[in-house]
Amino acid sequence: MERNNIRRQVALMRQSLFTQGYLDEQFVQLEELQDDTNPNFVEEIATLYYRDSCRSLQTIEKSLEKTPHDFNKLDNHMHQFKGSSSSIGAKKVKAECQQFREYCRAGNGEGCMRTFQLLKKEHATLKKKLEAYFQMARQAGPIETASRPK
Amino acid sequence: MNLNNGRGSMSTASSSGAWKSGDVVPDQFPAGLRVLVVDDDPTCLMILEKMLRTCLYEVTKCNRAEIALSLLRENKNGYDVVISDVHMPDMDGFKLLEQIGLEMDLPVIMMSADDGKSVVMKGVTHGACDYLIKPVRIEALKNIWQHVVRKKKNEWKDVEQSGSVDEGDRQQKPCEEPDYSSSANEGTWKNSKKRKDEDDDAEDRDDTSTLKKPRVVWSVELHQQFVGAVNQLGIDKAVPKKILELMNVPGLTRENVASHLQKYRLYLRRLSGVSQHQSNLNNSFISSQDASFGAMSSLNGIDLQTLAATGQLPAQSLATLQAAGLGRSTAKSGIPMPLVDQRNLFSFENPKLRFAEGQQHHSSGKPMNLLHGIPTTMEAKQLANLHQSAQSLGPVNMQVNAHGVQNNSLYMIGQPQSRGQILNESSGTHVPRLPSSIGQPMVSNGIPSGVIGRNGISDVGRGTGYNPVPQNSSMLNFPLNNTPELPGNSYTLGSTQGMSSLTPKGSFPDEVNSEIKRSGGFVPSYDIFNELHQHKSNDWNLQNVGLTFDASHHANSIHGSLDSSGLVHQGFSSNQRSAQSRNPSNVGKAMFPMGAASTDHGHAQNSGQHLSNGLIVDNPVRIKSERHSDASQNNFFHDQYGQEDLMSALLKQQGGVGPSENEFDFDGYSLDNIPV
């Protein structure tokens, strides 16, 4: 009973992540890769992503502090960051990345900085949500950690 | 795809050349397809790996293009398809694509988050089989096997057309449905594979005309000839046609030479341009068979070239050295490529060693022997030595110490030139070329520890044959006195655990000894360290070390130098290692040139620095006898210093050594007599 409740909650949480636009189809792809040999695959990937992306963000932040802005470099960094964010299905984060790159191409330093703040926020928000989700999923037990909504 | 999990493993044949037995494969195909994934983003890499595994492929992943290239080179037939990211920090994905196409002719799939038309077009023009947009979905990966089959089919057809399907067992049977690779393989694939497997010596050359893409195997000898020809013509004037003529190898085409030349040039450029990349430089070049190219040739060639360029090494000498080096390298082929990287740093040192040998050629005036004594593998020591030899390098030399790093970087720093040399050295077998000429900042001061100590030394030790370019003898004179800050340089040399190439203490006995004798003292590195060491007392100037080992200026230095010198030999590395671990601080000290040791004996480790590099410790016996007083430079190179022994000996001495005179057990070290 308890378990069922938890499971239901997990499912709901998951669903909302999608409907609210935090995650996209790519996340489902990851879930599908999860199997018995890798029961925590998605969580592992998310952890890896966050560890790596924090570093990237710091690099970008440092670059942003230097003026005049080296848009080329910023664009390159962001391209990388966007690639990894998209591979885990971080939809909102990806959108901000895209916006940032456009500002870079336009040479709009102000826009870049603003977008970067938004990006960091999205990045942190998603992190919290995923952590909560994974934690609950673990509680629910192995069986239902990743239900594929399809 | 019908993946028979059950037998999947079988067909996968991960073993290279798995597709040989076509019969077995087909059913499982594409299961077991051997994929190499290259992407610097760890998240993507992990996801891709999982996806590919789910497709029942055999996955190897790496996050650096250089590593990927070396993996591919090591095992030419170990992979069926490569997937690479476009944007990578160390090498552009398209460049990697080109290289793979040139060398291995494998299907390469590019991928990127960038879906702009121009980028995709670039992929096409560079020869990519396919272009995937990130994020990659598993469905896209499921079908990558088609590229493998297609390629094989095309090759097969070509082979057939050419009529000579090659002598091997190419089962010609064009099973036109080549089951996937098995038949296709046979055509060109297998043939070349076979050929290659059977003889390293470019047997393929002969088949060039018959095969669509006869892969010439650039064996050591062949490469040697190539480099010799290039040197003869002068790197700037070397054109494929002339090189081909000079080489006079039947079956070799101008195209083969041209593409090889291109790679060689890239290699040279990389060597000169990348001081910091210690490792990368030679990695690519040093792949297994091609290793000869890389290891030896590149090192030799490059170094020689560089050296030659700098004027230090006359072209002839270069050729000789190269030949020698190459020759030796073959012998030593043990040198693992990775060493190279490190070695590069060390090559710095190595060159010195070689230099010593080369001395004979070059009359640099200084007893280049420095290098001689220096075992190619000398890791840290060598570097130190190199530094010394790098005297000519001038400022660099001492720099090594500056960093005091236990890392190998020490070496590098000091010797800008060493870089070039180190590169040479890295090849492991090359005789350490005196970096002097190179002038390239080899070891930029910050060189990571790993660099020098590790590989560099090994090369040095190995350097067989490569006569170190007598770098302008000045190398030897490293002004150790400068006491470059080598504070405890981390004799990376010794410490390099990586020194695989380094023959364990004494591995190079023959070389070292001979070298030492010649040079009498080589160990430039010691000097350097000495300087660092605080023992300034010793005149460590590299001069002592390399040149004449003025007998040990300081007992302390002896530590270091002993290590280095000894290390130079072979034990160098081993010693170093031990030494290093012992006293990082000593590292610097240890450097002091053996030569110095000869003079001072006392120094031996006085400072406790004992470079314990092992060298010294190693042959306490030797050292004792030597008592550096004679400044026999050679002494340092004991080849087999048992590091521990030396260290202990030194250490012991250290304790008592207050004054330079000390009772360093270095006695044995007196440079003068290093029994070589």
Side-chain angles (χ1 to χ4, degrees), chain B residues 319-354:
Chain B
T320 316
L321 285 175
Q322 277 183 342
L326 284 174
R328 276 231 216 150
S329 5
T330 10
K332 296 258 191 101
S333 44
I335 307 188
M337 302 308 277
L339 284 179
V340 174
D341 291 341
Q342 309 287 357
R343 288 213 256 181
N344 288 332
L345 287 179
F346 285 113
S347 36
F348 186 61
E349 291 215 336
N350 292 335
K352 296 217 193 140
L353 290 178
R354 291 223 229 175

Side-chain angles (χ1 to χ4, degrees), chain B residues 49-290:
Chain B
E49 184 192 17
K50 184 76 173 103
M51 284 182 173
L52 289 164
R53 289 243 156 91
T54 304
C55 295
L56 297 182
Y57 293 153
E58 242 193 47
V59 188
T60 307
K61 59 177 188 206
C62 60
N63 60 357
R64 300 269 303 275
E66 297 286 359
I67 299 177
L69 271 176
S70 65
L71 279 173
L72 285 165
R73 288 187 181 130
E74 262 171 51
N75 192 358
K76 288 241 157 129
N77 298 303
Y79 302 98
D80 296 309
V81 62
V82 180
I83 302 182
S84 168
D85 187 31
V86 166
H87 291 97
M88 289 192 285
D90 65 328
M91 189 196 279
D92 182 30
F94 292 118
K95 210 178 294 185
L96 176 67
L97 165 61
E98 275 177 340
Q99 284 280 83
I100 296 177
L102 265 179
E103 294 184 31
M104 295 114 206
D105 194 30
L106 284 177
V108 181
I109 296 172
M110 304 302 295
M111 60 176 176
S112 174
D114 200 345
D115 60 352
K117 187 174 114 178
S118 59
V119 184
V120 180
M121 177 62 85
K122 213 173 164 195
V124 173
T125 54
H126 281 76
C129 287
D130 202 353
Y131 192 101
L132 303 176
I133 308 288
K134 282 186 182 177
V136 179
R137 295 172 64 92
I138 195 168
E139 290 83 24
L141 294 176
K142 283 203 177 128
N143 293 321
I144 61 173
W145 58 268
Q146 60 176 298
H147 303 294
V148 176
V149 177
R150 194 176 295 122
K151 203 160 184 101
K152 291 217 181 112
K153 215 168 193 259
N154 290 339
E155 278 181 4
W156 185 239
K157 265 202 222 133
D158 286 352
V159 169
E160 277 190 323
Q161 278 162 14
S162 62
S164 39
V165 185
D166 137 312
E167 51 270 57
D169 50 293
R170 296 177 282 183
Q171 301 139 3
Q172 305 233 9
K173 24 180 173 209
C175 328
E176 266 359 306
E177 295 317 296
D179 275 336
Y180 316 102
S181 45
S182 17
S183 32
N185 245 329
E186 307 196 26
T188 343
W189 205 289
K190 259 191 350 168
N191 294 333
S192 8
K193 238 191 320 188
K194 238 187 271 207
R195 259 196 304 235
K196 244 183 305 202
D197 299 343
E198 287 156 21
D199 332 82
D200 259 6
D201 294 348
E203 277 201 339
D204 302 342
R205 276 184 277 141
D206 300 344
D207 299 310
T208 327
S209 44
T210 51
L211 286 177
K212 160 172 98 154
K213 235 198 255 210
R215 241 165 276 183
V216 171
V217 174
W218 282 90
S219 65
V220 173
E221 289 80 25
L222 193 60
H223 181 76
Q224 212 168 321
Q225 281 179 280
F226 170 83
V227 177
V230 169
N231 290 335
Q232 238 179 290
L233 297 165
I235 189 69
D236 293 331
K237 298 221 186 57
V239 284
K241 186 145 182 286
K242 294 214 183 107
I243 297 173
L244 186 64
E245 282 167 24
L246 274 176
M247 283 176 75
N248 194 23
V249 169
L252 192 65
T253 69
R254 199 201 71 84
E255 286 73 30
N256 296 134
V257 175
S259 74
H260 194 70
L261 178 66
Q262 177 184 44
K263 293 186 216 159
Y264 187 64
R265 286 227 177 93
L266 271 172
Y267 175 75
L268 288 174
R269 217 173 305 144
R270 241 183 280 178
L271 284 179
S272 55
V274 185
S275 24
Q276 271 77 19
H277 276 196
Q278 315 108 357
S279 45
N280 295 336
L281 280 179
N282 291 322
N283 278 341
S284 12
F285 282 92
I286 308 203
S287 22
S288 38
Q289 259 151 0
D290 292 301

Side-chain angles (χ1 to χ4, degrees), chain A residues 25-26 29-30 33 35 37-38 41 44-45 48-49 52 76 79-80 82-84 86-88 94, chain B residues 39-44 46-47 50-51 54 85 87-89 112-114 134-139:
Chain A
E25 173 59 19
Q26 188 64 19
Q29 288 263 312
L30 297 186
L33 288 174
D35 56 18
T37 56
N38 276 115
F41 181 69
E44 283 168 19
I45 292 285
L48 185 59
Y49 164 73
D52 191 50
N76 278 342
H79 172 82
Q80 280 294 93
K82 178 175 164 222
S84 57
S86 65
S87 62
I88 69 153
K94 185 173 157 188
Chain B
D39 192 340
D40 62 311
D41 183 349
T43 312
C44 287
M46 196 158 172
I47 295 175
K50 184 76 173 103
M51 284 182 173
T54 304
D85 187 31
H87 291 97
M88 289 192 285
S112 174
D114 200 345
K134 282 186 182 177
V136 179
R137 295 172 64 92
I138 195 168
E139 290 83 24

Side-chain angles (χ1 to χ4, degrees), chain B residues 581-603:
Chain B
S581 43
R582 304 243 206 148
N583 301 300
S585 55
N586 290 336
V587 173
K589 302 217 184 151
M591 303 283 288
F592 50 75
M594 301 285 279
S598 51
T599 43
D600 296 309
H601 312 303
H603 343 295

